[in-house]
Amino acid sequence: MRIVFFGECMLEHCDSGAFRYGGDTLNTALYLARMAEPGKLQVRYATALGDDADSQTLLQNWQLEGLDTALVLQLADKLPGRYRIYTDDKGQRRFQYWRDDSAARHYLREANNPLLSLLKEQGCDYVYLSGISLAILSPEHRQRLLDALTEFCRSGGKLIFDNNFRPVLWRDDPLPWYEKAMQLAYLALLTDEDEYALYGGDSVDAILARTAHIPYVLIKRGAQPCIIRSRKELSHVAGQRVAKVVDTSAAGDSFAAGFLSAWLCGVDVETAVTTGHRLAARVIQYPGAIIAAEAMQDLMPIKE
């Protein structure tokens, strides 16, 4: 099974001086690569970086984690974005970004793009992108990507869409773009608060009505049970309690990775959601978006 993630990875400003990084789709791709059973999943990441030393270190780290980086572009005139996280005593976070002209924003500036070529050739089974993936692109590049995805889905490919909504990133109206992505989605990973911020209201029923055409829908609701609609059937799966939340960064991203590691390999949806909850519960007990592999070793398959 072949899955491609598109988005942006940024460098994290860290007082300790440690080399840390993160980005919603990158977080999910990396955790999925760790959780994937050997020989069952090929996990690729598509983005743009610079040709500076930090970009080289990012590439090396991703390759060591098992990510296929053949779709990564290195743009000599650009650099990766940067961010800083501030967390309160409950682990809730606030971000500061430096990403207005990051390399990832320019990934689709050339028509002969490796990701677009891969989609045209049906060189993967699933594509994963998020609301943030769309937000960082110009309208022209956004449309270029969605046109390619439309043809990809018509030919049997499947789109996984995470609604991750960050209003500050949007320079135009996000709703038309979200609706285009949702029309293509085979699996939608939705956070209820992001849906309410986009569409107004506070009704789960309204979310389910809007997404009735999507075969698989997961609605994440913080500490409340995740709502699952699988082929019109509704169910709920509660999360895991955590005694001490340190940092909620990548909570949803790691949940998605845990879920996909099981679901893409044929595990039933409810069991796969439990796997997602288990990984997310572990990740939020550590600082940063990407925790050390040793901290989740017991959740990972044995790899020779």
Side-chain angles (χ1 to χ4, degrees):
M1 193 69 67
R2 303 162 299 170
I3 182 168
V4 173
F5 291 76
F6 168 70
E8 178 179 29
C9 177
M10 294 168 290
L11 297 163
E12 181 182 338
H13 278 284
C14 182
D15 290 336
S16 70
F19 187 86
R20 298 210 308 211
Y21 54 88
D24 66 337
T25 58
L26 183 280
N27 300 337
T28 301
L30 188 147
Y31 281 124
L32 178 57
R34 287 183 182 178
M35 294 287 288
E37 295 217 13
K40 289 195 175 181
L41 290 177
Q42 178 196 58
V43 186
R44 285 182 152 186
Y45 196 63
T47 192
L49 298 171
D51 61 0
D52 56 299
D54 284 338
S55 293
Q56 289 298 134
T57 303
L58 284 174
L59 271 177
Q60 291 165 6
N61 273 260
W62 299 348
Q63 291 161 358
L64 289 172
E65 291 282 2
L67 285 179
D68 185 318
T69 60
L71 301 176
V72 176
L73 295 179
Q74 291 189 263
L75 308 178
D77 58 336
K78 301 297 176 185
L79 293 170
R82 295 177 180 270
Y83 71 100
R84 187 182 184 103
I85 302 176
Y86 302 88
T87 54
D88 62 21
D89 57 4
K90 295 182 180 178
Q92 296 301 316
R93 77 271 195 224
R94 176 173 59 86
F95 293 91
Q96 183 178 9
Y97 297 108
W98 299 268
R99 70 197 300 186
D100 287 348
D101 194 40
S102 68
R105 288 183 179 272
H106 300 273
Y107 182 75
L108 288 155
R109 69 185 183 185
E110 302 295 337
N112 57 341
N113 177 274
L115 174 59
L116 300 187
S117 297
L118 185 81
L119 296 180
K120 186 176 181 179
E121 297 163 3
Q122 293 295 120
C124 61
D125 303 293
Y126 290 88
V127 173
Y128 184 111
L129 75 156
S130 71
I132 293 176
S133 306
L134 296 177
I136 64 171
L137 298 174
S138 69
E140 178 187 358
H141 295 176
R142 220 178 278 149
Q143 191 61 56
R144 184 177 291 167
L145 175 60
L146 288 170
D147 287 346
L149 285 169
T150 298
E151 293 304 314
F152 170 74
C153 293
R154 282 178 183 163
S155 299
K158 296 180 174 65
L159 175 65
I160 301 170
F161 184 66
D162 184 330
N163 71 341
N164 220 341
F165 178 50
R166 299 292 182 269
V168 70
L169 295 179
W170 285 91
R171 300 169 183 177
D172 56 341
D173 183 2
L175 269 180
W177 301 102
Y178 268 83
E179 289 170 358
K180 288 178 182 181
M182 293 287 272
Q183 283 300 316
L184 297 174
Y186 179 76
L187 165 65
L189 300 168
L190 308 178
T191 300
D192 58 353
E193 291 183 354
D194 287 351
E195 286 293 293
Y196 304 148
L198 275 162
Y199 292 95
D202 59 359
S203 167
V204 168
D205 288 340
I207 298 174
L208 290 170
R210 271 197 307 274
T211 59
H213 64 285
I214 301 175
Y216 295 92
V217 177
L218 305 185
I219 304 176
K220 297 166 285 179
R221 302 184 297 156
Q224 299 183 68
C226 178
I227 296 175
I228 305 163
R229 187 176 62 220
S230 170
R231 302 288 189 184
K232 306 299 182 182
E233 297 293 327
L234 279 180
S235 57
H236 299 72
V237 176
Q240 291 196 337
R241 291 187 177 275
V242 174
K244 174 65 175 176
V245 176
V246 173
D247 185 350
T248 57
S249 300
D253 308 332
S254 56
F255 167 85
F259 170 78
L260 291 172
S261 71
W263 185 71
L264 290 176
C265 293
V267 174
D268 66 272
V269 178
E270 287 80 8
T271 302
V273 167
T274 298
T275 303
H277 282 318
R278 188 179 301 123
L279 178 56
R282 182 66 55 84
V283 168
I284 64 176
Q285 295 180 64
Y286 295 85
I290 306 294
I291 69 172
E294 292 75 18
M296 51 179 283
Q297 202 71 44
D298 57 312
L299 304 180
M300 295 161 55
I302 296 174
K303 300 181 180 181
E304 295 182 0

